[in-house]
Amino acid sequence: MPSPNDVARKLVAPGMGILAADESEGTIAKRFAVIGLPVTFETRRDYREMLFRSTEAMRQYISGVILTEETLKQSAADGTPFVALFAETDVIPGIKVDRGAFAMPGTKGEKITEGLDGLRHRLEEYARLGAKFAKWRGVIAVSDYAPSRNGIRANAHVLARYAALCQEAGIVPVVEPEVLADGEPGDHSMQRCAEVTGETLATVFEELRLAGVDLGGMLLKPNMVTPGVRSAERPSDSEIAAATLNVLKAQVPASVPGIAFLSGGQSDAAATANLSAMNRMGPLPWALTFSYGRALQNAAMLLWGGDLANVPQAQVAFAHRAKMNSLAALGKWQPELDRAA
């Protein structure tokens, strides 16, 4: 059986990345509303089955999938467990283990992620069900009065406790401290994002060391350094890549095997272009890849629309997006490859 450190390295193998399919019911309801589809047990299952049965994408470009607890236990319409589908394409099952971000007492608009209570026992169950890695998201807002030092430190401390519990259970922790680009008011500069991201990562790694977390057996899932979504700044992919790498090189130890970015409100193409620009600036001490949700799924979901007849077309779109991000993880993506599709 591969060790957690082996699993961590496999998740960020060259040209491979992670599909985030762990949307909450609220999030998937917003996405289904765009295509006029109700959210039910069956529609969630059918949508995710469409993605998971995209054999070309899953086998060639996707190393792991982050699932909800429901999906980890779920089966396809024909009764095949999703975990069995992943085994057929050598994809590693993962699980989102936090319970969401809630208002943090004593702050103005900051949040703290909950879910540590009972996590040790849940991780044991998830491991029995086949999960080999987990994810926990900490949310860092940017505004005139946020983040506070307390907000950053509290979220970093929780991330470290989660990571230590994962490693105790033989599960690879994916540590996700997200500095929000689309929070309120969302008009901060790229420089402000760089400052907050740098302070956040410094605090996270301080807490991880204090908690005794093996950095070689974890992955980092950070935001890229971008302006807020309502900022007037329009930096190029090269500028975003350089700013992001400056922060990462200053704060992320080389012993971390890989960094799998979230897309964080970027367009599908921008998330791909920025990742490729970073990898072209190598060599780097860690693998850089993707852990995208919407930026991998959006085109496929719109084509699928809840109709079984549209599954093949939607799977082609999903495979294309996965291939583009695979190329980006190798630093080989070019705009004309996207336009040629």
Side-chain angles (χ1 to χ4, degrees):
M1 180 178 293
S3 72
N5 292 40
D6 292 335
V7 171
R9 288 190 292 270
K10 184 175 179 180
L11 284 166
V12 294
M16 305 296 282
I18 298 168
L19 167 64
D22 59 333
E23 301 88 354
S24 66
E25 284 194 34
T27 298
I28 207 163
K30 292 176 186 175
R31 295 183 184 170
F32 279 9
V34 175
I35 56 175
L37 193 68
V39 180
T40 66
F41 178 88
E42 288 77 17
T43 56
R44 290 194 300 272
R45 177 201 65 199
D46 292 347
Y47 174 60
R48 285 169 171 151
E49 180 175 353
M50 180 271 292
L51 296 173
F52 301 159
R53 286 194 185 274
S54 299
T55 305
E56 177 192 351
M58 300 296 281
R59 194 184 303 278
Q60 296 186 38
Y61 313 120
I62 304 297
S63 57
V65 181
I66 308 170
L67 306 165
T68 63
E69 186 172 314
E70 173 187 80
T71 315
L72 180 63
K73 299 176 179 178
Q74 204 166 31
S75 295
D78 66 0
T80 306
F82 282 151
V83 172
L85 290 182
F86 298 143
E88 292 175 5
T89 51
D90 196 27
V91 168
I92 302 170
I95 175 79
K96 177 176 72 173
V97 300
D98 68 72
R99 297 304 199 196
F102 298 86
M104 187 174 177
T107 68
K108 294 182 178 180
E110 293 183 82
K111 294 185 176 182
I112 184 72
T113 302
E114 298 183 358
L116 286 177
D117 288 352
L119 180 57
R120 173 178 277 128
H121 300 297
R122 287 195 286 128
L123 287 167
E124 291 171 0
E125 180 191 9
Y126 299 149
R128 285 195 301 271
L129 291 168
K132 298 290 191 292
F133 71 103
K135 189 203 80 167
W136 181 291
R137 177 176 178 247
V139 179
I140 307 297
V142 182
S143 70
D144 291 342
Y145 43 79
S148 63
R149 292 194 67 190
N150 181 48
I152 291 175
R153 185 160 296 280
N155 275 287
H157 179 72
V158 170
L159 280 164
R161 289 181 62 191
Y162 139 80
L165 285 165
C166 283
Q167 292 189 339
E168 177 186 77
I171 286 176
V172 173
V174 176
V175 174
E176 180 178 357
E178 179 180 3
V179 175
L180 293 174
D182 56 357
E184 294 297 335
D187 59 358
H188 54 274
S189 67
M190 188 162 74
Q191 178 59 34
R192 174 78 168 134
C193 178
E195 292 166 357
V196 173
T197 301
E199 182 180 355
T200 298
L201 291 178
T203 308
V204 165
F205 279 100
E206 180 183 356
E207 292 289 337
L208 289 168
R209 290 188 190 96
L210 288 171
V213 172
D214 175 10
L215 301 185
M218 61 157 280
L219 298 176
L220 180 68
K221 182 174 177 174
N223 55 283
M224 298 181 193
V225 173
T226 64
V229 294
R230 285 173 283 279
S231 168
E233 285 186 58
R234 294 292 180 268
S236 67
D237 55 4
S238 298
E239 290 169 330
I240 288 171
T244 303
L245 289 178
N246 283 341
V247 171
L248 295 177
K249 287 176 179 178
Q251 304 300 346
V252 182
S255 52
V256 174
I259 298 171
F261 290 98
L262 54 91
S263 52
Q266 301 176 72
S267 70
D268 302 358
T272 306
N274 294 336
L275 175 61
S276 194
M278 276 184 264
N279 277 303
R280 286 197 300 274
M281 294 177 179
L284 300 166
W286 353 256
L288 293 189
T289 191
F290 56 92
S291 179
Y292 296 162
R294 180 198 43 76
L296 275 172
Q297 301 177 36
N298 192 50
M301 185 192 71
L302 294 174
L303 286 168
W304 172 67
D307 189 339
L308 185 63
N310 295 334
V311 165
Q313 183 183 12
Q315 289 176 334
V316 168
F318 175 56
H320 172 73
R321 200 74 252 134
K323 181 178 181 180
M324 292 301 99
N325 285 297
S326 170
L327 290 170
L330 299 169
K332 296 180 178 179
W333 175 83
Q334 297 292 338
E336 55 269 22
L337 297 174
D338 246 330
R339 290 193 291 267

Coordinates of all heavy atoms in Angstrom, one line a residue, residues 85-165:
L85 N -15.5 3.2 -9.8 CA -15.2 3.9 -11.1 C -13.8 4.6 -11.0 O -13.1 4.5 -12.0 CB -16.3 5.0 -11.3 CG -17.7 4.6 -11.7 CD1 -18.6 5.8 -12.0 CD2 -17.7 3.6 -12.9
F86 N -13.5 5.2 -9.9 CA -12.2 5.8 -9.8 C -11.1 4.7 -9.9 O -10.0 5.0 -10.5 CB -12.0 6.5 -8.5 CG -13.0 7.7 -8.3 CD1 -13.6 8.0 -7.1 CD2 -13.4 8.5 -9.4 CE1 -14.5 9.0 -6.9 CE2 -14.2 9.5 -9.3 CZ -14.8 9.8 -8.0
A87 N -11.3 3.6 -9.3 CA -10.3 2.5 -9.4 C -10.0 2.1 -10.8 O -8.9 1.8 -11.2 CB -10.7 1.3 -8.6
E88 N -11.0 2.1 -11.7 CA -10.9 1.8 -13.1 C -10.0 2.7 -13.8 O -9.3 2.3 -14.8 CB -12.2 1.7 -13.8 CG -13.1 0.6 -13.3 CD -14.5 0.6 -13.9 OE1 -14.7 1.5 -14.8 OE2 -15.4 -0.2 -13.5
T89 N -9.9 4.0 -13.4 CA -9.1 5.0 -14.1 C -7.9 5.5 -13.3 O -7.3 6.5 -13.6 CB -10.0 6.2 -14.5 OG1 -10.7 6.7 -13.3 CG2 -11.0 5.9 -15.6
D90 N -7.6 4.8 -12.2 CA -6.5 5.1 -11.3 C -6.5 6.5 -10.8 O -5.5 7.2 -10.7 CB -5.2 4.8 -12.1 CG -4.0 4.7 -11.2 OD1 -4.2 4.3 -10.0 OD2 -2.8 5.1 -11.6
V91 N -7.7 6.9 -10.4 CA -8.0 8.2 -9.8 C -8.1 8.0 -8.2 O -8.8 7.1 -7.8 CB -9.2 8.8 -10.4 CG1 -9.7 10.0 -9.5 CG2 -9.0 9.2 -11.8
I92 N -7.5 8.9 -7.5 CA -7.5 8.8 -6.0 C -8.7 9.5 -5.4 O -8.9 10.7 -5.7 CB -6.2 9.4 -5.5 CG1 -5.0 8.6 -6.0 CG2 -6.2 9.3 -3.9 CD1 -3.6 9.3 -5.7
P93 N -9.5 8.8 -4.6 CA -10.7 9.5 -4.0 C -10.2 10.4 -2.8 O -9.4 9.9 -2.0 CB -11.6 8.4 -3.5 CG -11.0 7.1 -4.0 CD -9.5 7.4 -4.4
G94 N -10.8 11.6 -2.7 CA -10.5 12.4 -1.6 C -11.9 12.9 -1.0 O -12.9 12.7 -1.6
I95 N -11.8 13.6 0.1 CA -13.0 14.0 0.8 C -12.9 15.4 1.4 O -11.9 15.7 2.1 CB -13.4 12.9 1.9 CG1 -14.6 13.3 2.7 CG2 -12.2 12.6 2.8 CD1 -15.9 13.1 2.1
K96 N -13.9 16.2 1.3 CA -14.0 17.5 2.0 C -14.4 17.2 3.4 O -15.5 16.6 3.6 CB -14.9 18.5 1.3 CG -15.0 19.8 2.1 CD -15.9 20.8 1.4 CE -17.4 20.4 1.4 NZ -18.2 21.5 0.8
V97 N -13.7 17.6 4.4 CA -14.0 17.2 5.8 C -14.5 18.4 6.7 O -15.0 18.2 7.8 CB -12.9 16.5 6.5 CG1 -12.6 15.2 5.7 CG2 -11.6 17.4 6.6
D98 N -14.3 19.6 6.2 CA -14.8 20.8 7.0 C -16.3 20.9 6.9 O -16.9 20.4 6.0 CB -14.1 22.1 6.7 CG -14.5 22.6 5.3 OD1 -15.6 23.1 5.1 OD2 -13.6 22.5 4.4
R99 N -16.9 21.6 7.9 CA -18.4 21.7 7.9 C -18.8 23.1 7.5 O -19.9 23.5 7.7 CB -18.9 21.5 9.3 CG -18.7 20.0 9.8 CD -19.3 19.0 8.9 NE -19.5 17.7 9.6 CZ -19.7 16.6 8.9 NH1 -19.7 16.6 7.6 NH2 -19.9 15.5 9.6
G100 N -17.9 23.9 6.9 CA -18.2 25.2 6.4 C -17.6 26.3 7.3 O -17.2 26.1 8.4
A101 N -17.7 27.5 6.7 CA -17.1 28.7 7.4 C -18.3 29.5 8.0 O -19.3 29.8 7.3 CB -16.4 29.6 6.4
F102 N -18.1 29.9 9.2 CA -19.1 30.6 10.0 C -18.6 31.9 10.6 O -17.4 32.1 10.7 CB -19.7 29.7 11.1 CG -20.3 28.5 10.6 CD1 -19.6 27.3 10.4 CD2 -21.7 28.4 10.4 CE1 -20.1 26.2 9.9 CE2 -22.3 27.3 9.9 CZ -21.5 26.1 9.6
A103 N -19.5 32.9 10.9 CA -19.1 34.1 11.4 C -18.2 34.0 12.6 O -18.5 33.2 13.5 CB -20.3 35.0 11.8
M104 N -17.1 34.7 12.7 CA -16.2 34.6 13.8 C -16.4 35.6 14.8 O -16.4 36.8 14.5 CB -14.7 34.7 13.2 CG -13.6 34.4 14.2 SD -12.0 34.5 13.5 CE -11.0 34.2 14.9
P105 N -16.7 35.3 16.0 CA -17.0 36.2 17.1 C -15.9 37.3 17.3 O -14.7 36.9 17.1 CB -17.1 35.4 18.4 CG -17.4 34.0 17.9 CD -16.7 33.9 16.6
G106 N -16.3 38.5 17.5 CA -15.3 39.6 17.8 C -14.6 40.1 16.5 O -13.7 40.9 16.7
T107 N -15.1 39.8 15.3 CA -14.5 40.3 14.1 C -15.6 41.0 13.3 O -16.8 40.8 13.5 CB -13.9 39.2 13.3 OG1 -14.9 38.4 12.7 CG2 -12.9 38.4 14.1
K108 N -15.2 41.8 12.3 CA -16.1 42.4 11.3 C -16.1 41.6 10.0 O -15.2 41.9 9.2 CB -15.7 43.9 11.1 CG -15.8 44.8 12.3 CD -15.5 46.2 12.0 CE -15.6 47.1 13.1 NZ -15.3 48.5 12.8
G109 N -17.0 40.7 9.9 CA -17.2 40.0 8.6 C -16.2 38.9 8.4 O -16.2 38.3 7.3
E110 N -15.4 38.5 9.3 CA -14.4 37.4 9.2 C -15.1 36.1 9.5 O -16.1 36.1 10.3 CB -13.2 37.6 10.0 CG -12.3 38.8 9.5 CD -11.1 39.0 10.2 OE1 -10.1 38.2 9.9 OE2 -11.0 39.8 11.2
K111 N -14.6 35.0 9.0 CA -15.1 33.7 9.3 C -14.1 32.7 9.8 O -12.9 32.8 9.5 CB -15.8 33.1 8.0 CG -17.0 34.0 7.6 CD -17.7 33.3 6.4 CE -19.0 34.1 6.0 NZ -19.7 33.5 4.9
I112 N -14.6 31.7 10.5 CA -13.8 30.6 11.0 C -14.4 29.3 10.5 O -15.6 29.2 10.6 CB -13.6 30.6 12.5 CG1 -12.6 29.6 13.0 CG2 -14.9 30.6 13.2 CD1 -11.2 29.8 12.7
T113 N -13.6 28.4 10.0 CA -14.1 27.1 9.6 C -14.3 26.2 10.7 O -13.4 26.0 11.6 CB -13.2 26.5 8.5 OG1 -13.1 27.5 7.4 CG2 -13.7 25.3 7.9
E114 N -15.4 25.5 10.7 CA -15.7 24.5 11.8 C -15.7 23.1 11.3 O -15.8 22.9 10.1 CB -17.1 24.9 12.4 CG -17.2 26.3 13.0 CD -18.5 26.6 13.7 OE1 -19.4 25.7 13.6 OE2 -18.6 27.7 14.3
G115 N -15.6 22.1 12.2 CA -15.7 20.7 11.8 C -14.7 19.9 12.5 O -14.6 18.7 12.2
L116 N -13.9 20.4 13.5 CA -12.9 19.6 14.2 C -13.6 18.6 15.1 O -13.0 17.5 15.3 CB -11.9 20.5 15.0 CG -10.9 21.3 14.1 CD1 -10.1 22.1 15.0 CD2 -10.0 20.3 13.3
D117 N -14.7 18.9 15.7 CA -15.4 18.0 16.6 C -15.7 16.7 15.9 O -16.4 16.7 14.9 CB -16.6 18.6 17.2 CG -16.3 19.7 18.2 OD1 -15.1 19.9 18.6 OD2 -17.3 20.4 18.6
G118 N -15.2 15.6 16.4 CA -15.5 14.3 15.8 C -14.7 14.0 14.6 O -15.0 12.9 14.0
L119 N -13.8 14.8 14.2 CA -13.1 14.6 12.9 C -12.3 13.4 13.0 O -12.2 12.6 12.0 CB -12.2 15.8 12.6 CG -11.4 15.7 11.3 CD1 -12.3 15.5 10.1 CD2 -10.6 17.0 11.1
R120 N -11.6 13.0 14.1 CA -10.8 11.8 14.2 C -11.6 10.6 13.8 O -11.2 9.8 13.0 CB -10.2 11.7 15.6 CG -9.5 10.3 15.8 CD -8.9 10.2 17.2 NE -7.6 10.9 17.3 CZ -7.3 11.8 18.2 NH1 -8.2 12.2 19.1 NH2 -6.1 12.3 18.2
H121 N -12.8 10.5 14.3 CA -13.6 9.3 14.0 C -14.2 9.3 12.6 O -14.2 8.3 11.9 CB -14.8 9.2 15.0 CG -14.3 9.1 16.4 ND1 -13.6 8.0 16.9 CD2 -14.5 9.9 17.5 CE1 -13.3 8.1 18.2 NE2 -13.8 9.3 18.6
R122 N -14.5 10.5 12.1 CA -14.9 10.6 10.7 C -13.8 10.2 9.7 O -14.0 9.5 8.7 CB -15.4 12.0 10.4 CG -16.7 12.4 11.0 CD -17.4 13.6 10.4 NE -16.7 14.8 10.8 CZ -16.2 15.8 10.0 NH1 -16.3 15.6 8.7 NH2 -15.7 16.9 10.5
L123 N -12.6 10.6 10.0 CA -11.5 10.3 9.2 C -11.2 8.8 9.1 O -10.9 8.2 8.1 CB -10.2 11.0 9.6 CG -10.1 12.5 9.4 CD1 -9.0 13.2 10.1 CD2 -10.0 12.8 7.9
E124 N -11.4 8.1 10.2 CA -11.3 6.7 10.3 C -12.3 6.0 9.3 O -12.0 5.1 8.6 CB -11.5 6.1 11.7 CG -10.4 6.5 12.6 CD -10.7 6.2 14.1 OE1 -11.8 5.6 14.3 OE2 -9.8 6.4 15.0
E125 N -13.6 6.6 9.4 CA -14.6 6.0 8.5 C -14.3 6.3 7.0 O -14.4 5.5 6.1 CB -16.0 6.7 8.8 CG -17.1 6.1 7.9 CD -18.4 6.9 8.1 OE1 -18.4 7.9 8.7 OE2 -19.4 6.4 7.5
Y126 N -13.8 7.6 6.7 CA -13.5 7.9 5.3 C -12.4 7.1 4.8 O -12.4 6.7 3.6 CB -13.1 9.4 5.2 CG -14.2 10.4 5.7 CD1 -13.9 11.6 6.3 CD2 -15.6 10.1 5.5 CE1 -14.8 12.5 6.7 CE2 -16.5 11.0 6.0 CZ -16.2 12.2 6.5 OH -17.1 13.1 6.9
A127 N -11.4 6.8 5.6 CA -10.3 5.9 5.2 C -10.9 4.5 4.9 O -10.4 3.9 3.8 CB -9.3 5.8 6.3
R128 N -11.8 4.0 5.7 CA -12.4 2.7 5.4 C -13.2 2.7 4.1 O -13.2 1.7 3.3 CB -13.3 2.3 6.5 CG -12.6 1.8 7.8 CD -13.5 1.0 8.7 NE -14.7 1.8 9.1 CZ -14.7 2.6 10.2 NH1 -13.6 2.7 11.0 NH2 -15.7 3.3 10.5
L129 N -13.8 3.8 3.8 CA -14.5 4.0 2.5 C -13.7 4.2 1.3 O -14.2 4.2 0.2 CB -15.5 5.1 2.7 CG -16.7 4.9 3.6 CD1 -17.4 6.2 3.9 CD2 -17.6 3.9 3.1
G130 N -12.4 4.4 1.5 CA -11.4 4.5 0.4 C -10.8 5.8 0.2 O -10.0 6.0 -0.8
A131 N -11.1 6.8 1.0 CA -10.5 8.2 0.8 C -9.0 8.1 1.2 O -8.7 7.6 2.2 CB -11.2 9.2 1.7
K132 N -8.2 8.7 0.3 CA -6.8 8.7 0.5 C -6.2 10.1 0.8 O -5.1 10.3 1.3 CB -6.0 8.2 -0.7 CG -6.3 6.7 -1.0 CD -5.8 5.8 0.0 CE -5.9 4.3 -0.4 NZ -7.3 3.8 -0.5
F133 N -7.1 11.1 0.6 CA -6.7 12.5 0.9 C -7.9 13.3 1.3 O -9.1 12.8 1.1 CB -5.9 13.2 -0.2 CG -6.8 13.5 -1.4 CD1 -7.2 14.9 -1.7 CD2 -7.1 12.6 -2.4 CE1 -7.9 15.2 -2.8 CE2 -7.8 12.9 -3.5 CZ -8.2 14.2 -3.7
A134 N -7.7 14.4 2.0 CA -8.8 15.2 2.5 C -8.5 16.7 2.2 O -7.4 17.1 1.9 CB -9.0 15.0 4.0
K135 N -9.6 17.5 2.3 CA -9.4 18.9 2.1 C -10.2 19.7 3.2 O -11.3 19.3 3.6 CB -10.0 19.3 0.7 CG -9.7 20.8 0.4 CD -10.6 21.3 -0.7 CE -11.9 21.8 0.0 NZ -12.8 22.6 -0.9
W136 N -9.6 20.8 3.6 CA -10.2 21.7 4.6 C -9.9 23.1 4.1 O -8.8 23.5 3.8 CB -9.6 21.5 6.0 CG -10.2 22.4 7.1 CD1 -10.0 23.7 7.2 CD2 -10.9 21.9 8.2 NE1 -10.6 24.2 8.3 CE2 -11.2 23.1 9.0 CE3 -11.4 20.7 8.6 CZ2 -12.0 23.0 10.1 CZ3 -12.1 20.6 9.8 CH2 -12.4 21.8 10.5
R137 N -11.0 24.0 4.0 CA -10.8 25.3 3.5 C -11.0 26.3 4.6 O -12.0 26.3 5.3 CB -11.9 25.5 2.4 CG -12.0 26.9 1.8 CD -13.0 27.0 0.7 NE -13.2 28.3 0.1 CZ -14.3 29.0 0.2 NH1 -15.4 28.6 1.0 NH2 -14.4 30.2 -0.3
G138 N -10.0 27.2 4.7 CA -10.1 28.4 5.6 C -10.3 29.6 4.7 O -9.7 29.7 3.6
V139 N -11.1 30.5 5.1 CA -11.5 31.6 4.3 C -11.0 32.9 4.9 O -11.3 33.2 6.1 CB -13.1 31.7 4.2 CG1 -13.5 32.9 3.4 CG2 -13.6 30.4 3.6
I140 N -10.2 33.7 4.1 CA -9.6 34.9 4.6 C -10.2 36.1 3.8 O -9.9 36.2 2.6 CB -8.1 34.9 4.5 CG1 -7.5 33.6 5.2 CG2 -7.5 36.2 5.0 CD1 -7.7 33.5 6.6
A141 N -11.0 36.9 4.4 CA -11.6 38.0 3.7 C -10.6 39.2 3.7 O -9.8 39.3 4.5 CB -12.9 38.4 4.4
V142 N -10.8 40.0 2.6 CA -9.9 41.2 2.5 C -10.9 42.5 2.4 O -11.8 42.5 1.6 CB -9.1 41.2 1.2 CG1 -8.2 42.4 1.1 CG2 -8.2 39.9 1.2
S143 N -10.7 43.4 3.3 CA -11.5 44.6 3.3 C -10.7 45.7 4.0 O -9.5 45.5 4.4 CB -12.8 44.4 4.0 OG -12.6 44.3 5.4
D144 N -11.3 46.8 4.3 CA -10.6 47.9 5.0 C -10.2 47.5 6.4 O -9.3 48.1 7.0 CB -11.5 49.2 5.1 CG -11.7 49.8 3.7 OD1 -10.9 49.5 2.8 OD2 -12.6 50.6 3.5
Y145 N -10.9 46.5 7.0 CA -10.7 46.1 8.4 C -10.4 44.6 8.5 O -10.3 44.1 9.6 CB -11.9 46.5 9.3 CG -13.2 46.2 8.6 CD1 -13.8 44.9 8.6 CD2 -14.0 47.2 8.0 CE1 -14.9 44.6 7.9 CE2 -15.2 46.9 7.3 CZ -15.7 45.7 7.3 OH -16.8 45.4 6.7
A146 N -10.3 44.0 7.4 CA -9.9 42.5 7.5 C -8.9 42.2 6.4 O -8.8 42.9 5.4 CB -11.2 41.7 7.2
P147 N -8.1 41.2 6.7 CA -8.2 40.3 7.8 C -7.5 40.8 9.1 O -6.5 41.5 9.0 CB -7.5 39.0 7.3 CG -6.4 39.5 6.4 CD -7.0 40.7 5.7
S148 N -8.0 40.4 10.2 CA -7.3 40.7 11.5 C -6.2 39.6 11.7 O -6.3 38.5 11.1 CB -8.2 40.7 12.6 OG -8.8 39.4 12.8
R149 N -5.2 40.0 12.5 CA -4.2 38.9 12.9 C -4.9 37.7 13.5 O -4.5 36.6 13.3 CB -3.2 39.5 13.8 CG -2.3 40.6 13.1 CD -1.1 40.9 13.9 NE -0.2 39.7 14.0 CZ 0.9 39.7 14.8 NH1 1.2 40.7 15.6 NH2 1.7 38.6 14.8
N150 N -5.9 38.0 14.4 CA -6.6 36.9 15.0 C -7.3 36.1 14.0 O -7.4 34.8 14.2 CB -7.6 37.5 16.0 CG -8.4 36.4 16.8 OD1 -7.8 35.5 17.3 ND2 -9.7 36.6 16.9
G151 N -7.9 36.7 13.0 CA -8.7 35.9 12.0 C -7.7 35.0 11.2 O -8.0 33.8 11.0
I152 N -6.6 35.5 10.9 CA -5.6 34.7 10.2 C -5.1 33.5 11.1 O -5.0 32.4 10.7 CB -4.4 35.5 9.6 CG1 -4.9 36.4 8.5 CG2 -3.3 34.6 9.2 CD1 -3.8 37.4 8.0
R153 N -4.7 33.9 12.3 CA -4.1 32.9 13.2 C -5.1 31.8 13.5 O -4.7 30.6 13.6 CB -3.5 33.6 14.4 CG -2.8 32.6 15.3 CD -1.8 33.3 16.3 NE -0.8 34.0 15.6 CZ 0.3 33.5 15.1 NH1 0.5 32.1 15.2 NH2 1.3 34.2 14.5
A154 N -6.3 32.2 13.8 CA -7.3 31.2 14.2 C -7.6 30.2 13.1 O -7.6 29.0 13.3 CB -8.6 31.9 14.6
N155 N -7.7 30.7 11.8 CA -7.9 29.8 10.7 C -6.6 28.9 10.4 O -6.7 27.7 10.1 CB -8.2 30.6 9.4 CG -9.7 30.8 9.3 OD1 -10.5 30.0 9.1 ND2 -10.1 32.1 9.6
A156 N -5.4 29.5 10.6 CA -4.2 28.7 10.4 C -4.1 27.6 11.5 O -3.7 26.5 11.2 CB -3.0 29.6 10.5
H157 N -4.5 27.9 12.7 CA -4.4 26.9 13.8 C -5.4 25.8 13.5 O -5.0 24.6 13.7 CB -4.8 27.6 15.1 CG -4.8 26.7 16.3 ND1 -3.6 26.2 16.8 CD2 -5.8 26.1 17.0 CE1 -3.9 25.4 17.8 NE2 -5.2 25.3 18.0
V158 N -6.6 26.1 13.0 CA -7.5 25.0 12.7 C -7.0 24.2 11.6 O -7.2 22.9 11.6 CB -8.9 25.7 12.4 CG1 -9.9 24.6 11.9 CG2 -9.5 26.3 13.7
L159 N -6.5 24.8 10.5 CA -5.9 24.0 9.4 C -4.8 23.1 9.9 O -4.7 21.9 9.4 CB -5.3 25.0 8.4 CG -6.3 25.7 7.4 CD1 -5.7 26.9 6.7 CD2 -6.9 24.6 6.4
A160 N -4.0 23.5 10.8 CA -2.9 22.7 11.3 C -3.5 21.5 12.1 O -3.0 20.4 12.0 CB -1.9 23.5 12.2
R161 N -4.5 21.8 13.0 CA -5.1 20.7 13.7 C -5.7 19.6 12.8 O -5.6 18.4 13.0 CB -6.1 21.2 14.7 CG -5.4 22.0 15.9 CD -6.5 22.5 16.8 NE -7.3 21.4 17.5 CZ -8.4 21.6 18.2 NH1 -8.9 22.9 18.3 NH2 -9.0 20.6 18.7
Y162 N -6.4 20.1 11.8 CA -7.0 19.2 10.8 C -5.9 18.4 10.1 O -6.1 17.2 9.9 CB -7.8 20.1 9.8 CG -7.6 19.6 8.3 CD1 -8.4 18.6 7.8 CD2 -6.8 20.3 7.5 CE1 -8.2 18.2 6.5 CE2 -6.6 19.9 6.2 CZ -7.3 18.9 5.7 OH -7.2 18.5 4.4
A163 N -4.8 19.0 9.7 CA -3.8 18.3 9.0 C -3.1 17.3 9.8 O -2.8 16.1 9.4 CB -2.7 19.3 8.5
A164 N -2.9 17.6 11.1 CA -2.3 16.6 12.0 C -3.2 15.4 12.2 O -2.8 14.2 12.2 CB -2.0 17.2 13.3
L165 N -4.5 15.6 12.3 CA -5.5 14.5 12.4 C -5.5 13.7 11.2 O -5.6 12.4 11.2 CB -6.9 15.1 12.7 CG -7.1 15.6 14.2 CD1 -8.4 16.4 14.3 CD2 -7.2 14.4 15.2

